[in-house]
Amino acid sequence: MAKRDYYEVLGIQKGTSKEDIKKAYRKLAVQYHPDKNQGNKEAEEKFKEATEAYEVLSDDQKRAAYDQFGFAGVDGMGGQHDFSNFRGFEDLFGGDISDFFGSFFGGGMRRDTGGGSGPRHGANLRYDIEIPFKDAVFGTKVEIGYSRQVSCPSCKGSGAESGSGKKLCPNCGGTGQIRQSAGFFSLASTCHTCGGEGYVIEHPCKECGGAGTIKKRQKIMVTIPSGVENGRRVVIRSQGDAGPNGGSCGDLYVFIRVKPHDFFERNGADLYCAIPVSITQAALGGNLQVATLDNKTIKVKIPAGSQNGKLLRVRDEGVPIQGKRGDFYIKLMVQVPSKLSKKGRELLEEFSKLEGENEKPNPIPLAELSQV
């Protein structure tokens, strides 16, 4: 089952203050607390879902990671998502637990006239893909297949057979809640007959069983923009689940994992690769032909006296991002021959004599090493 966006779970927007996040969670915790919904698996799952969302969004570090990378950013950062993460009701309800008890008494009998019977936004979905390094640099299109809830074509999302409709729930009389008394106390709980909707369908649609939606598998093309980085996501609007009661569709979040390349790596908009050169090429200089990531061959000049690790910069051959390209850096790796021919040894020995190589060199300052 696809995981819902944390902001959607709490019914809030990005940028919501921590105080409003706590208020939103308090409301859901009261509604779905296990002590109030004993034996109700759906309420238990909603309570766990809301608790997990609150645990992430109420923590500045986790929230920042989630905002940037989605669920991938907080994997391994969460706890067990239960009340052991809070300091009792004082932490959850700000020291005023009257809000909690208010849900069990008079206030608990009030029902939002905007009600659950109206259209509601559908759930967001997540899809993970892995793409080659080159496709991430230059962009691509990927076809993906996944399942989502769509509006039932037979009942047009109403959940009722053609010619039939909905009626007030006979169990709760349309309030969506059942009130139970136990001596002095009175408890209001969600009506299990209608699920809190306040109405029931007289003749449920045979195709969707009254749900108003059916599961459908579909394929779509996802456009991956050039320059996308590992862990980023692409949002495809209205390709999530259809909303209950004819509500708008949620979104599809496509999370991207980029495969490492054997020869290239990137740093932002710049590309890097390492090229081997001989000691004579490094000493004398010369020309070099190097293949780029997009299979072009470019010529670069090796300066005479190049040291191992020297970077050669080629402008505008890096990663294209929003119409601009970074640079391409070629790192020279000087290769010392492990075997020499007789003639080669003689020439190097002669070179050593001519240069008068120092057998007692002084150490190189560390500041100079950091610049190599």
Side-chain angles (χ1 to χ4, degrees), residues 12-22 57 63:
I12 57 177
Q13 301 293 323
K14 279 190 175 181
T16 299
S17 68
K18 293 183 74 171
E19 185 59 32
D20 287 338
I21 290 174
K22 179 177 283 190
L57 298 184
R63 185 179 182 183

Side-chain angles (χ1 to χ4, degrees), residues 83-95:
F83 273 124
S84 65
N85 295 306
F86 303 106
R87 297 183 301 276
F89 283 110
E90 289 76 8
D91 178 68
L92 180 59
F93 293 97

Side-chain angles (χ1 to χ4, degrees), residues 64-84:
Y66 176 72
D67 286 346
Q68 186 172 7
F69 302 112
F71 298 111
V74 293
D75 285 346
M77 295 177 68
Q80 297 300 314
H81 309 308
D82 58 33
F83 273 124
S84 65

Side-chain angles (χ1 to χ4, degrees), residues 276-280 308 333-340 348:
V277 295
S278 67
I279 55 175
T280 53
N308 184 58
M333 306 300 293
V334 180
Q335 304 291 295
V336 177
S338 57
K339 292 183 178 180
L340 290 171
L348 284 178

